[in-house]
Amino acid sequence: MSAVLDHPAGHAPGHDHAHDHEHARPHGWRRWLFATNHKDIGTLYLLFSFTMLMVGGVLALLIRAELFRPGLQFVNPELFNQFTTMHGLIMVFGAIMPAFVGFANWMIPLQIGASDMAFARMNNLSFWLLIPSAIMFVGSFFVPGGATAAGWTLYAPLTLQMGPAMDMTIFAMHLFGASSIMGAINIIVTVLNMRAPGMTLMKMPMFSWTWLITAYLLIAVIPVLAGAITMTLTDRHFGTSFFNPAGGGDPVMYQHIFWFFGHPEVYIMILPAFGMISQIVPAFARKRLFGYTSMVYATASIAILSMIVWAHHMFTTGMPVTGQLFFMYATMLIAVPTGVKVFNWVATMWRGSMTFETPMLWAVGFIFVFVIGGFTGVIPAMAPIDIQLQDTYYIVAHFHYVLVAGSLFAMFAAVYYWGPKWTGVMYSEARGRFHFWGSIITFNITFFPMHFLGLAGMPRRYADYPMQFADFNAIVSVGALGFGLMQVYFFFFVVLPMMRGKGEPAPQRPWEGAEGLEWEVPSPAPWHTFETPPKLDASATRVIG
């Protein structure tokens, strides 16, 4: 499947004079502080998100250290709830979402034949907004009263009782939201206006498609979150009573507003992962993606349906039976387009000439654990069962199977898949396989027993528990430590050597079955690519001149 290029070796198509401009590239700290190149900004996003992943991971390990045995070991219940709250917020807003924006910055211009993102300076601003917001998140631990302990959902009336850290958290989330909206606008305009001639929407790579739909979701729901936390702020300081029952407010209204954002947010964190897997599976099955058109429609269907299922998080709030039935059926309906995706991936692999290099291992691992997460989600979708399982460790297990296994595993697959194109060197296959097997085994040791803890009735966000839950909690804590150490190993023994250029030089097309414009430029990808739009073949996956 290798393409024959009409341009000299070592030059990007449409970019024969790229290296004439290399002298214009800023160096040192100016290159990063004033970055407008989509590759540099993508790198900044990815490094920032990994840093926040480590911060959130440390908080997770502190939680698991406390829960290793019954009784209070290290922290009091208030500090424990601060850890759980900030772990969730940092992982969602600091790690997963910025990482996907980093992948979008790196790959979308390369995939659609654009020279850069549409709004380069706004791109720079959207990244640098993350730094003060992350500082406020982490710094909230050090103000009087400590960090907010209202849960990552920031439910009223708890939020009305917190100290100054609550205000810092609200401001930090506003900055994260502004960054996300700017990133989404940039992606939409880039995809719609800057595709190479001949690349119609229905010829775009799936990763670009899933991000286009995700960007619309972000613009739709981030302002809803901004409204909810601003109403919380005015309740705290300006005498309003949106959520304060003492003034005639309704705390359940906050839940409705939050989850109208919160459930599409789950799909914001998984749709780009679907796009990544839809690129990687065909490359290693050496077949075209089965049902490309149905994949596009399934992605759009998931985005639309995600807006009408929010109250399945609220079955225990006294919702009328009619409402419970509607949200129960809507939740089951969203399983259909998700099932279409899984079917298409399996059908792509069926009778393909498959090999299992590290990116494919992660992709297959993603499908395996994501399907488990999907099945465990069907169970609490049933309102009568959810009333038993709500706020137990079963729910913790379910959403970690979807988000840790889903989002994170897909991103690892993408790093191994596109990393050689970014850095110009191949990763160590042995180290990549060790990272994969170590991660998937310790992940399942960590989160699978949580299903049984939840079914047995152990509530989440409790710093202590009775003796009958002790054995499974000890296993979970040991697994969590192992999973965390595997990610440290990944950074020091896989990522750093690639960033330093230590390894086998990567060929232009390191994967035999890979298709797409990103494989038509040299490895590493030049700082400037596609300054003049490439000429595409009929499939819009190869350059013909």
Side-chain angles (χ1 to χ4, degrees), residues 475-528:
I475 292 169
V476 167
S477 292
V478 171
L481 177 62
F483 186 73
L485 290 175
M486 290 311 303
Q487 310 330 314
V488 175
Y489 173 88
F490 166 68
F491 184 75
F492 283 103
F493 293 97
V494 178
V495 174
L496 271 186
M498 291 179 75
M499 291 175 67
R500 291 173 175 168
K502 294 180 179 176
E504 295 273 325
Q508 178 171 300
R509 187 184 297 270
W511 317 116
E512 182 189 334
E515 288 198 341
L517 294 187
E518 67 262 41
W519 308 112
E520 302 292 328
V521 302
S523 301
W527 202 56
H528 291 295

Side-chain angles (χ1 to χ4, degrees), residues 284-502:
F284 293 93
R286 291 162 180 79
K287 284 172 61 183
R288 283 288 174 88
L289 179 67
F290 180 89
Y292 171 92
T293 306
S294 65
M295 282 291 236
V296 172
Y297 286 118
T299 307
S301 303
I302 289 171
I304 293 164
L305 290 171
S306 74
M307 310 285 279
I308 63 165
V309 298
W310 77 87
H312 69 206
H313 298 271
M314 300 170 56
F315 284 148
T316 56
T317 58
M319 185 190 303
V321 172
T322 310
Q324 290 187 349
L325 286 171
F326 170 81
F327 286 106
M328 190 168 83
Y329 293 141
T331 303
M332 287 189 276
L333 186 61
I334 208 167
V336 175
T338 311
V340 167
K341 287 183 167 295
V342 175
F343 173 81
N344 285 9
W345 292 325
V346 173
T348 303
M349 290 188 276
W350 179 252
R351 304 188 74 175
S353 302
M354 289 175 60
T355 54
F356 291 94
E357 290 90 346
T358 305
M360 188 60 168
L361 285 177
W362 281 106
V364 174
F366 164 90
I367 295 169
F368 171 69
V369 289
F370 179 76
V371 167
I372 293 176
F375 281 135
T376 59
V378 171
I379 295 166
M382 310 294 125
I385 305 176
D386 181 76
I387 289 166
Q388 303 298 315
L389 297 177
Q390 177 69 17
D391 271 333
T392 69
Y393 264 78
Y394 185 93
I395 304 300
V396 178
H398 158 64
F399 73 71
H400 280 87
Y401 262 85
V402 173
L403 286 180
V404 179
S407 300
L408 199 62
F409 281 20
M411 287 192 280
F412 286 143
V415 168
Y416 286 105
Y417 182 62
W418 284 314
K421 181 58 61 182
W422 300 345
T423 62
V425 296
M426 297 298 293
Y427 61 87
S428 163
E429 191 69 41
R431 291 178 181 179
R433 289 171 186 269
F434 179 72
H435 175 222
F436 169 74
W437 287 111
S439 294
I440 199 163
I441 290 167
T442 53
F443 170 82
N444 282 288
I445 291 171
T446 304
F447 293 105
F448 202 75
M450 288 186 184
H451 294 104
F452 303 115
L453 288 169
L455 289 168
M458 180 175 168
R460 63 176 175 171
R461 297 178 184 158
Y462 278 40
D464 194 8
Y465 53 86
M467 184 58 75
Q468 65 259 35
F469 300 138
D471 291 346
F472 271 171
N473 268 296
I475 292 169
V476 167
S477 292
V478 171
L481 177 62
F483 186 73
L485 290 175
M486 290 311 303
Q487 310 330 314
V488 175
Y489 173 88
F490 166 68
F491 184 75
F492 283 103
F493 293 97
V494 178
V495 174
L496 271 186
M498 291 179 75
M499 291 175 67
R500 291 173 175 168
K502 294 180 179 176

Side-chain angles (χ1 to χ4, degrees), residues 17 22 35 90 92 124 136 146 162 223 283 423 428 433 455 463 479:
H17 304 291
E22 291 294 303
I90 286 171
V92 170
N124 175 284
M136 275 189 287
M162 295 289 147
T423 62
S428 163
R433 289 171 186 269
L455 289 168

